[in-house]
Amino acid sequence: MDKMRKRDEKKLIALEQAALDLVQENGLSQLTINKLAKRAGVSVATAYIYFENKADLLGHLYQTAREQLIDSIPEPNEQDAISLQFETVMRAYAHNFNEAPKALNFMAALAANPEYLPEALQGNTTLLGPAMLAVIKRGYLAQMLLTDNVDLIIAQALQPLQWLYQVRAQNQVVVASAELDQLIAMATRAIFKA
Amino acid sequence: MDKMRKRDEKKLIALEQAALDLVQENGLSQLTINKLAKRAGVSVATAYIYFENKADLLGHLYQTAREQLIDSIPEPNEQDAISLQFETVMRAYAHNFNEAPKALNFMAALAANPEYLPEALQGNTTLLGPAMLAVIKRGYLAQMLLTDNVDLIIAQALQPLQWLYQVRAQNQVVVASAELDQLIAMATRAIFKA
Amino acid sequence: MDKMRKRDEKKLIALEQAALDLVQENGLSQLTINKLAKRAGVSVATAYIYFENKADLLGHLYQTAREQLIDSIPEPNEQDAISLQFETVMRAYAHNFNEAPKALNFMAALAANPEYLPEALQGNTTLLGPAMLAVIKRGYLAQMLLTDNVDLIIAQALQPLQWLYQVRAQNQVVVASAELDQLIAMATRAIFKA
Amino acid sequence: MDKMRKRDEKKLIALEQAALDLVQENGLSQLTINKLAKRAGVSVATAYIYFENKADLLGHLYQTAREQLIDSIPEPNEQDAISLQFETVMRAYAHNFNEAPKALNFMAALAANPEYLPEALQGNTTLLGPAMLAVIKRGYLAQMLLTDNVDLIIAQALQPLQWLYQVRAQNQVVVASAELDQLIAMATRAIFKA
DNA sequence: CATGAATGAGCTTTCATTCAT
DNA sequence: AATGAATGAAAGCTCATTCAT
């Protein structure tokens, strides 16, 4: 039993890694099950043991990437000042985006082409995760936010961050530490009251 | 000669419209030359008279969309205050995004999947156009900007705007006038010195 | 225009002939689009210009076979005695079955596996055609039939005929003229009053 | 040993039942080893312990169905009148067809697609079993039959019976007792001298 | 210039069968 | 004996592109 499970894990991880690599290299539209299987070192039919179809496969990988990048971020310490909490979460996003640029690219590609995903997931493409949501709620309750419109907060905080990291990864340029500082400062000015 | 040109124009416009419609309806990945030609009411072979291949076709349509949405924006009046100029250009972007949501969607889809475009265009997917570039230059010279890092300015001004309009178009919800006001206010706080 | 239509016809006929041959040789379950196209000398994709999918293709060929074997039979002369009319139609069936054994085999194979056919056709697998139907009606009105149950008449007249011709074709044995005479005599005894 | 045999029997019966069900539900062409094993609650590999390959498996199930429907019929009492013996056997067929419509359907499907069966069985698809064969022999010796051509007798007696029961099972309509009486009467008229 | 027909290459998916345990 | 995982081969189907007219 254990051995079987181990094999599962290996194949799954191989498929996952191959998918991230291929999308990074050639774009989502070039990701086919054949290429994926070949790259992962498994047979095409094997992929269909683990996943129902291509959409299901992409959906799972998408969820994994999303979890790694977003859902894994812990809620910040409630004792800290709200703006510090915001900064902490922003830095956590940035850290994740920086560590896993392929996952970031993969997630972004699927968010821009939701028709690849199973219908159940097509509406679930926001960058907002539980940690940032908590911060926003706290900021709202403390009346420190300029707006209660969550879309606008995402637009001025998470979207810029994601866009910057993705553009830079595409061009293989790093985001300098000072740039991140500045982006967070700008986002903070944008969404918090003076 | 005139007749021919007119025919050209008609077919081109038909192809363009069909492409925008189909991408809106089914996503970029579902856009095939056969479907495109059928929808446009021309033969597949005709498309290959006007364009070398699919990438070339998409490239041209992409340029057209980009022009309509971005390059058409006039440079603002140099006499106005810089922040007013910024607001003016932001409102022009917003106006265009609002008027041509399909073009916006088309442009964004291609920006997220540059592998569809001819190589020559693959680096040219920024939202920055001449009008906004002029404003940034002026603001920089007047030392009114918090940063001289253009990427950060795009990240905090144009990206949020585009994202908001695109998300709303996808969900068929309009961007309220007050929302636009607020987004511009937030972007202004983000990039201009206090 | 004419030339195009001619090409159509040629390809269609080639596909049709190839389908009959392949089913005859290897059975319906071995009939694949690839083999069919190869045998017909066209590309796979070409088959999909003429037909929507495999079921549609089989449906059309099935209809063609059915027409050739059944629907083409003329209604017999109303002046003749009913039993003579019956014999005439039975002989017409027999003649067709004899002339087009591949079509007979093809039709029978599909009737036994209606899941291959488009849903619209799945209920339409009877041997009864307009000619025999007319005879049955006339016999009924003249009160010469032992039963008004059409199923029973088919069971005792057309099914035996078809079965005999098909079994013989499979074993490459001809139906002797005397056998046909006898079968018709037996069927006549079965369905007509003494 | 006994345990094993019992397990064998259980698995075999499960496979058999699953095959009948699946063919009934989706047609023979949709019957795959994977689906069969899943439905029977055994592993695919297990099926290959009991049977050499798919044809062998189908062959065995076919034989079982055939036995249940045909070979199990006892020879009728030689003291009875021949036509009564004939009727008795016909009623036995009818009874079996009625009791086991799935087996009937399964047998008919394979008879129409012998390419699924092992070559050794491909010629063995007649409805004629020992009981009816005995009756025919006796009728022949007693010179009561219109013909000594066995094919014609099958064509006018067993084929109609099978066809009627199968069509009715497909349409989920029962064969009324009066219908059966009439069919036997017609078949009797067809094959016996007046 | 314009076209519908045609196609090689490649797609997603499934199959009968075997392997490792 | 029994199994779930694995797979090469092949299925149905579609695509970007070209050809004949």
Side-chain angles (χ1 to χ4, degrees):
Chain A
M1 292 260 286
D2 265 317
K3 280 170 206 161
M4 283 180 186
R5 234 183 258 145
K6 254 186 196 166
R7 254 213 293 240
D8 279 8
E9 283 303 312
K10 262 188 196 162
K11 298 240 156 103
L12 278 175
I13 290 172
L15 284 170
E16 199 172 305
Q17 195 56 48
L20 297 189
D21 289 352
L22 287 172
V23 170
Q24 177 89 326
E25 289 166 22
N26 308 316
L28 181 57
S29 73
Q30 297 304 306
L31 178 65
T32 74
I33 300 283
N34 271 292
K35 293 179 194 165
L36 180 61
K38 186 160 286 179
R39 177 80 155 239
V42 305
S43 123
V44 186
T46 301
Y48 282 88
I49 293 170
Y50 292 95
F51 304 103
E52 269 195 28
N53 50 40
K54 195 184 178 186
D56 182 44
L57 162 57
L58 291 179
H60 277 271
L61 301 189
Y62 175 75
Q63 298 265 45
T64 302
R66 209 179 144 25
E67 207 151 314
Q68 181 185 1
L69 294 169
I70 299 179
D71 296 331
S72 69
I73 297 174
E75 294 194 14
N77 190 337
E78 202 159 357
Q79 313 307 325
D80 292 343
I82 304 278
S83 62
L84 176 56
Q85 291 184 35
F86 173 74
E87 182 184 339
T88 304
V89 173
M90 288 288 278
R91 287 194 187 280
Y93 270 93
H95 177 261
N96 289 348
F97 290 171
N98 201 52
E99 292 285 303
K102 286 177 187 172
L104 171 60
N105 181 57
F106 186 82
M107 193 186 68
L110 277 169
N113 299 72
E115 74 265 21
Y116 283 108
L117 289 173
E119 297 211 7
L121 278 178
Q122 293 193 4
N124 183 27
T125 55
T126 178
L127 287 168
L128 189 61
M132 186 57 92
L133 186 58
V135 173
I136 293 174
K137 274 186 189 158
R138 294 169 190 169
Y140 172 70
L141 291 175
Q143 296 189 298
M144 300 188 61
L145 298 178
L146 268 171
T147 178
D148 58 351
N149 186 325
V150 177
D151 277 355
L152 291 183
I153 296 174
I154 296 172
Q156 292 289 351
L158 294 176
Q159 278 297 320
L161 194 69
Q162 184 225 25
W163 178 80
L164 185 67
Y165 275 88
Q166 218 200 318
V167 164
R168 291 301 173 81
Q170 265 170 23
N171 301 359
Q172 301 191 307
V173 179
V174 294
V175 176
S177 157
E179 281 185 305
L180 175 59
D181 294 346
Q182 201 153 31
L183 187 143
I184 292 176
M186 291 167 82
T188 302
R189 289 170 56 100
I191 69 174
F192 284 99
K193 289 182 182 162
Chain B
M1 287 270 281
D2 262 318
K3 250 189 210 171
M4 283 181 185
R5 242 188 245 145
K6 256 187 195 167
R7 258 210 289 234
D8 278 10
E9 283 303 311
K10 261 190 196 165
K11 300 224 160 124
L12 279 176
I13 290 172
L15 284 170
E16 200 171 304
Q17 194 56 48
L20 298 189
D21 289 351
L22 287 172
V23 171
Q24 177 89 330
E25 289 166 21
N26 308 316
L28 182 55
S29 72
Q30 298 303 306
L31 179 66
T32 74
I33 299 283
N34 279 288
K35 291 181 198 165
L36 179 62
K38 182 162 287 179
R39 177 79 156 237
V42 306
S43 154
V44 233
T46 303
Y48 281 86
I49 293 167
Y50 293 95
F51 304 104
E52 265 193 32
N53 51 38
K54 195 185 179 185
D56 184 42
L57 163 56
L58 290 179
H60 277 270
L61 301 189
Y62 173 76
Q63 299 266 44
T64 302
R66 212 180 168 306
E67 208 151 314
Q68 181 185 0
L69 293 169
I70 299 178
D71 296 332
S72 68
I73 297 173
E75 294 193 13
N77 190 337
E78 202 158 357
Q79 314 307 324
D80 291 343
I82 304 278
S83 62
L84 176 56
Q85 291 184 37
F86 174 73
E87 182 184 338
T88 305
V89 174
M90 287 288 278
R91 288 195 186 279
Y93 271 94
H95 177 262
N96 287 350
F97 291 171
N98 201 51
E99 291 287 301
K102 286 177 186 171
L104 171 59
N105 181 57
F106 185 81
M107 192 186 68
L110 277 168
N113 298 71
E115 74 266 19
Y116 282 109
L117 290 173
E119 297 211 7
L121 277 177
Q122 293 193 5
N124 183 26
T125 55
T126 179
L127 287 168
L128 189 62
M132 185 58 90
L133 187 58
V135 172
I136 292 173
K137 275 185 187 157
R138 293 169 190 169
Y140 172 71
L141 292 174
Q143 294 190 297
M144 299 188 61
L145 296 180
L146 268 172
T147 179
D148 59 352
N149 185 324
V150 178
D151 277 355
L152 291 183
I153 296 174
I154 295 173
Q156 293 289 353
L158 294 176
Q159 278 297 321
L161 194 68
Q162 184 223 28
W163 178 80
L164 185 67
Y165 274 89
Q166 216 199 320
V167 165
R168 291 302 173 79
Q170 265 170 23
N171 301 358
Q172 301 190 308
V173 179
V174 293
V175 176
S177 155
E179 280 184 305
L180 175 59
D181 295 346
Q182 201 153 28
L183 188 143
I184 293 177
M186 292 167 82
T188 303
R189 289 169 57 99
I191 69 175
F192 284 101
K193 289 182 183 160
Chain C
M1 291 261 285
D2 265 318
K3 280 171 206 162
M4 283 180 185
R5 236 185 259 146
K6 253 186 196 167
R7 255 217 289 241
D8 280 8
E9 284 303 311
K10 261 188 197 164
K11 298 241 156 105
L12 277 175
I13 289 172
L15 284 169
E16 197 171 308
Q17 194 57 50
L20 297 189
D21 289 352
L22 287 172
V23 170
Q24 176 89 329
E25 289 166 21
N26 308 316
L28 182 56
S29 72
Q30 297 304 305
L31 178 65
T32 74
I33 300 283
N34 270 291
K35 293 179 194 165
L36 180 62
K38 186 160 286 179
R39 176 77 155 242
V42 306
S43 120
V44 183
T46 301
Y48 283 89
I49 293 170
Y50 293 95
F51 304 102
E52 270 196 27
N53 49 41
K54 196 186 178 184
D56 183 44
L57 162 57
L58 290 179
H60 277 271
L61 301 189
Y62 174 76
Q63 298 264 45
T64 302
R66 211 180 168 311
E67 207 150 317
Q68 181 185 1
L69 294 169
I70 299 179
D71 295 332
S72 68
I73 297 174
E75 294 194 11
N77 190 337
E78 203 159 356
Q79 315 307 324
D80 292 343
I82 304 277
S83 62
L84 176 56
Q85 291 184 38
F86 173 73
E87 182 184 338
T88 305
V89 173
M90 286 289 277
R91 287 193 188 280
Y93 271 93
H95 177 262
N96 289 349
F97 290 171
N98 201 52
E99 291 286 302
K102 287 178 186 171
L104 172 60
N105 182 57
F106 186 82
M107 192 186 68
L110 277 168
N113 298 73
E115 74 265 23
Y116 283 108
L117 290 173
E119 297 210 7
L121 278 178
Q122 292 193 5
N124 183 26
T125 55
T126 178
L127 287 168
L128 189 60
M132 186 59 90
L133 187 58
V135 173
I136 292 175
K137 276 186 188 157
R138 293 169 191 168
Y140 173 71
L141 291 175
Q143 295 189 299
M144 300 189 59
L145 297 178
L146 269 172
T147 179
D148 59 352
N149 185 325
V150 177
D151 276 355
L152 291 183
I153 297 174
I154 297 173
Q156 293 288 353
L158 294 176
Q159 279 297 322
L161 195 68
Q162 184 224 28
W163 177 80
L164 185 67
Y165 274 88
Q166 216 199 322
V167 165
R168 292 300 174 81
Q170 266 170 22
N171 301 358
Q172 302 190 309
V173 180
V174 294
V175 175
S177 155
E179 281 184 305
L180 175 58
D181 294 347
Q182 201 152 30
L183 188 144
I184 293 177
M186 292 166 83
T188 303
R189 288 170 58 99
I191 69 175
F192 284 99
K193 288 182 183 160
Chain D
M1 288 270 281
D2 262 317
K3 251 188 209 171
M4 283 181 184
R5 242 187 245 145
K6 256 187 194 168
R7 258 208 292 233
D8 280 7
E9 282 304 310
K10 261 190 195 162
K11 300 225 161 123
L12 279 175
I13 290 172
L15 283 170
E16 198 171 306
Q17 194 56 49
L20 298 190
D21 289 351
L22 287 173
V23 170
Q24 176 90 328
E25 288 166 23
N26 308 316
L28 182 57
S29 73
Q30 297 304 306
L31 178 66
T32 74
I33 299 283
N34 279 289
K35 292 182 198 163
L36 180 61
K38 183 163 285 177
R39 177 79 155 236
V42 307
S43 153
V44 233
T46 302
Y48 281 87
I49 292 167
Y50 293 94
F51 304 103
E52 267 194 32
N53 51 38
K54 195 185 179 186
D56 183 41
L57 163 56
L58 290 179
H60 277 270
L61 302 189
Y62 174 75
Q63 297 269 44
T64 301
R66 210 178 168 314
E67 208 151 314
Q68 181 185 1
L69 293 169
I70 299 179
D71 295 333
S72 68
I73 297 174
E75 295 194 12
N77 191 335
E78 203 160 355
Q79 314 308 323
D80 291 343
I82 304 278
S83 62
L84 176 57
Q85 291 184 36
F86 173 72
E87 181 183 339
T88 304
V89 174
M90 287 287 279
R91 287 195 188 279
Y93 271 93
H95 177 263
N96 289 349
F97 291 172
N98 201 52
E99 290 288 301
K102 287 178 186 172
L104 172 59
N105 181 58
F106 186 81
M107 192 186 68
L110 277 168
N113 298 73
E115 73 267 21
Y116 283 109
L117 290 173
E119 298 212 7
L121 279 177
Q122 293 194 4
N124 183 25
T125 55
T126 177
L127 286 169
L128 189 60
M132 186 58 90
L133 187 58
V135 173
I136 293 174
K137 276 185 190 158
R138 293 169 191 169
Y140 173 70
L141 292 175
Q143 296 190 299
M144 299 188 62
L145 297 180
L146 269 172
T147 178
D148 59 351
N149 185 325
V150 177
D151 277 355
L152 290 183
I153 296 175
I154 296 173
Q156 292 289 353
L158 294 176
Q159 278 297 321
L161 194 67
Q162 184 224 27
W163 177 81
L164 185 68
Y165 275 88
Q166 218 200 319
V167 165
R168 292 301 172 82
Q170 265 171 21
N171 301 0
Q172 301 190 310
V173 179
V174 293
V175 175
S177 155
E179 280 184 305
L180 175 58
D181 295 346
Q182 202 152 31
L183 188 143
I184 293 177
M186 292 166 82
T188 303
R189 289 170 57 100
I191 70 175
F192 284 99
K193 289 184 183 161

